[in-house]
Amino acid sequence: MRIQATTRLGVVGVLLLAAVAACNNDLTVQPKSTITSANIFNDTASYRAFLAKLYAGLVVTGQSGPDGNPDIGGIDEGFSQYVRGYWQLQELPTDEAIIGWGDIGLPELNIQTWSSSNPFVTAMYSRIFYQVALGNQFLRETTDEKLAARGTSASLTTRVHQYRAEARFLRALSYWHALDLFGNVPLVDENFDISQLPKQATRTDVFSFVESELKAILAQLPTTKGGEYGRADQAAVNMVLAHLYLNAKVYTGTDRSTDARAAVEKVISSGAYSLDPTFRRMFSANNNTSPELIFAVPQDGVHTRTWGGMTYLVHAGVGGNMNATSFGIDGGWWGLRLRPETVDRYEGGAGGPDHRTSFFFTDGQTKTITDIGNFQQGIGAPKYTNVTTGGQAGSNATFPDTDYPMFRLADAYLVYAEAVLRGGGGDRATALGYVNAIRERAYGGAAGDITDAQLTLPFILDERSRELLWEGFRRQDLIRFGQFTDAGIWTFKGGAPLGKLTQSFRNLYPIPANELSANPNIKQNPGY
């Protein structure tokens, strides 16, 4: 999406925040920053600029364009980008994606053999807590007492109250990612004494914190679709709550399907969103115009350049006989392909009647994979593109204008259906209607409709993969259905060409080794 710097919460505003110190992977021990009320909050625009930095933390990786002054030290700057790191940890170890590169730590993600020193695991952990540290700093500097001491006007104080709610949303989002990926993690808010070493909170405690934060800020945010695109509103909060509750049995041992259904119902019943009649638009350079996107991470080829995010997702899926210019880019990176089990999940496979396979690329590609490093083994899936649905290339051939679609209506429909099937109340006929609405778009009519008898939990797991392919949900879904480690077999799982079971401790990633060295209060997850 092209961002107009004069009208949007432009991440160009982060230039005002170049004083933020880079992280050396010890943020939970001592979040370091040179931000003070003296050098940042000396004009009213600084509050908005700081909030821009918080949103930008999901996109950019440092203080100087795509690289050169990174937030996270010790790893290639592009590797440390938030969306890229999160996507890789949720997709690469699953039956959906495989990547052919040999960068240290990446092959281990393909085959579920990572260790506590894996640089990609470490980078994601560090990125999460960098976001948390920035959010905490913003909240410390925007209390009513500090605003009053600075003589802040009543109108600006009101705006800052909303900014604080958005900062708490972004912090809660990161803590949801932390508890999902790592389990028991340090829980540090704006009231924590940063001169002390934080203690490790249980996964249940982190869950409760995220839930309470999201519920507390709900009324302080714009109504559903009532704010600026790419910023948090009540629908974004309810989508995080819905996923938090849907996975609560995994996180806490307590089923919260009723709450998941209630949260997602609020999004659906708002009437603010509709299924996009053009499926491909949601993954194209004009996806900011889609009526289906609920919360997206905006990216722009001029103002938000990064080697992660959509730059990675667009380029890494292109290679072989594909023409890079047809995807609006200056070259493919020959990386990501589909594992064969996912291709077979669609009726008729690639080229079948399910139009969601329309972007599958088969020319010169084999479905089977015997050599992970060979890009032309594995069906190509250039789902994300830097071209609009009207055929116009993005503003930059290296850095796409395409936004990352974190939550969309089809996901909400499938959350509702799953919650109903798990005993969360609601209406089974409504759930069936939602699923068939998704499938009618996919098939161009009723040919793909299912019956009530076919609406089962295993079907929902498969349908989530078909509909939400490569959107960052698969690991989480497989764990919720008990199919990620000690059940479920797919190509190269566990390092075996035909796949093999792995140990269930890998349902969580390890706490990075350097975090354990820096803070004796932190204990490693079992099995590592």
Side-chain angles (χ1 to χ4, degrees), residues 85-364:
Y86 184 73
W87 188 94
Q88 288 186 153
L89 296 192
Q90 294 288 9
E91 292 287 352
L92 291 184
T94 76
D95 57 355
E96 285 192 349
I98 200 163
I99 194 165
W101 304 338
D103 302 270
I104 294 174
L106 204 54
E108 289 77 13
L109 295 184
N110 277 328
I111 61 175
Q112 295 192 14
T113 59
W114 53 78
S115 70
S116 62
S117 60
N118 185 284
F120 293 93
V121 173
T122 299
M124 189 65 222
Y125 186 93
S126 299
R127 179 59 66 183
I128 285 171
F129 283 101
Y130 181 79
Q131 282 288 97
V132 168
L134 283 182
N136 286 341
Q137 187 74 8
F138 180 79
L139 293 170
R140 290 188 194 101
E141 292 293 343
T142 54
T143 62
D144 284 341
E145 292 76 15
K146 290 196 174 183
L147 293 175
R150 297 182 192 122
T152 308
S153 69
S155 61
L156 179 57
T157 296
T158 298
R159 292 199 300 275
V160 171
H161 285 166
Q162 179 183 321
Y163 296 167
R164 285 176 59 85
E166 292 180 73
R168 291 170 72 182
F169 168 80
L170 292 169
R171 182 178 64 180
L173 178 69
S174 287
Y175 262 122
W176 170 47
H177 293 159
L179 76 90
D180 181 81
L181 295 169
F182 299 103
N184 301 337
V185 295
L187 185 55
V188 179
D189 67 11
E190 69 273 23
N191 300 310
F192 181 76
D193 180 356
I194 62 174
S195 68
Q196 303 297 311
L197 293 176
K199 291 182 168 51
Q200 192 169 21
T202 67
R203 206 177 195 186
T204 298
D205 286 341
V206 181
F207 178 99
S208 297
F209 174 78
V210 174
E211 179 188 21
S212 64
E213 283 288 285
L214 293 172
K215 291 170 72 173
I217 64 174
L218 186 62
Q220 301 171 32
L221 289 170
T223 57
T224 293
K225 226 170 185 178
E228 291 183 21
Y229 174 82
R231 292 175 65 179
D233 62 10
Q234 293 180 15
V237 170
N238 278 315
M239 286 303 294
V240 178
L241 280 171
H243 281 281
L244 186 74
Y245 293 140
L246 191 67
N247 292 283
K249 187 72 177 291
V250 173
Y251 299 154
T252 71
T254 301
D255 186 277
R256 299 287 295 274
S257 297
T258 299
D259 293 319
R261 188 261 309 158
V264 83
E265 259 183 341
K266 293 175 183 176
V267 178
I268 297 169
S269 65
S270 72
Y273 307 97
S274 59
L275 291 181
D276 196 325
T278 306
F279 181 75
R280 297 292 298 127
R281 173 163 50 179
M282 293 181 288
F283 318 104
S284 300
N286 61 328
N287 62 350
N288 61 300
T289 66
S290 173
E292 186 166 338
L293 298 194
I294 296 169
F295 183 69
V297 180
Q299 192 163 323
D300 178 280
V302 175
H303 299 110
T304 53
R305 295 181 175 184
T306 173
W307 295 112
M310 299 308 295
T311 307
Y312 164 74
L313 288 175
V314 173
H315 285 267
V318 174
N321 293 337
M322 301 178 202
N323 179 3
T325 59
S326 67
F327 300 98
I329 56 175
D330 51 12
W333 291 358
W334 296 58
L336 295 167
R337 298 97 72 201
L338 294 170
R339 302 202 199 211
E341 292 79 9
T342 289
V343 178
D344 291 340
R345 195 167 292 123
Y346 294 86
E347 182 183 356
D354 190 328
H355 298 164
R356 290 173 294 193
T357 67
S358 63
F359 59 88
F360 287 10
F361 192 91
T362 59
D363 180 21

Side-chain angles (χ1 to χ4, degrees), residues 274-526:
S274 59
L275 291 181
D276 196 325
T278 306
F279 181 75
R280 297 292 298 127
R281 173 163 50 179
M282 293 181 288
F283 318 104
S284 300
N286 61 328
N287 62 350
N288 61 300
T289 66
S290 173
E292 186 166 338
L293 298 194
I294 296 169
F295 183 69
V297 180
Q299 192 163 323
D300 178 280
V302 175
H303 299 110
T304 53
R305 295 181 175 184
T306 173
W307 295 112
M310 299 308 295
T311 307
Y312 164 74
L313 288 175
V314 173
H315 285 267
V318 174
N321 293 337
M322 301 178 202
N323 179 3
T325 59
S326 67
F327 300 98
I329 56 175
D330 51 12
W333 291 358
W334 296 58
L336 295 167
R337 298 97 72 201
L338 294 170
R339 302 202 199 211
E341 292 79 9
T342 289
V343 178
D344 291 340
R345 195 167 292 123
Y346 294 86
E347 182 183 356
D354 190 328
H355 298 164
R356 290 173 294 193
T357 67
S358 63
F359 59 88
F360 287 10
F361 192 91
T362 59
D363 180 21
Q365 305 289 132
T366 64
K367 187 175 76 171
T368 58
I369 302 172
T370 59
D371 178 3
I372 295 176
N374 184 344
F375 179 83
Q376 293 185 287
Q377 291 187 15
I379 299 299
K383 181 172 186 174
Y384 300 98
T385 178
N386 188 33
V387 176
T388 69
T389 48
Q392 181 179 355
S395 60
N396 187 288
T398 301
F399 304 106
D401 290 338
T402 314
D403 303 335
Y404 181 70
M406 187 171 287
F407 299 122
R408 59 186 179 92
L409 184 63
D411 173 35
Y413 280 176
L414 291 169
V415 169
Y416 179 91
E418 183 178 338
V420 169
L421 293 176
R422 291 188 183 276
D427 181 70
R428 188 180 175 97
T430 299
L432 180 63
Y434 288 157
V435 170
N436 279 336
I438 292 170
R439 291 180 63 80
E440 285 170 13
R441 174 175 63 183
Y443 281 78
D449 282 9
I450 63 168
T451 65
D452 179 80
Q454 293 172 299
L455 185 63
T456 64
L457 284 172
F459 178 88
I460 291 295
L461 177 62
D462 285 348
E463 189 66 12
R464 284 188 63 83
S465 178
R466 287 185 286 260
E467 177 65 23
L468 304 172
L469 176 70
W470 285 16
E471 294 183 44
F473 292 107
R474 189 57 175 170
R475 167 192 162 273
Q476 189 181 92
D477 290 349
L478 287 170
I479 290 172
R480 190 171 65 255
F481 281 81
Q483 296 292 311
F484 182 59
T485 51
D486 54 357
I489 296 288
W490 53 82
T491 300
F492 277 106
K493 179 180 177 181
L498 298 180
K500 67 178 182 180
L501 299 180
T502 56
Q503 293 178 283
S504 61
F505 73 82
R506 294 193 182 277
N507 286 338
L508 284 174
Y509 285 100
I511 304 296
N514 59 355
E515 172 77 340
L516 300 176
S517 299
N519 185 356
N521 292 332
I522 307 302
K523 306 303 179 187
Q524 184 57 276
N525 287 326

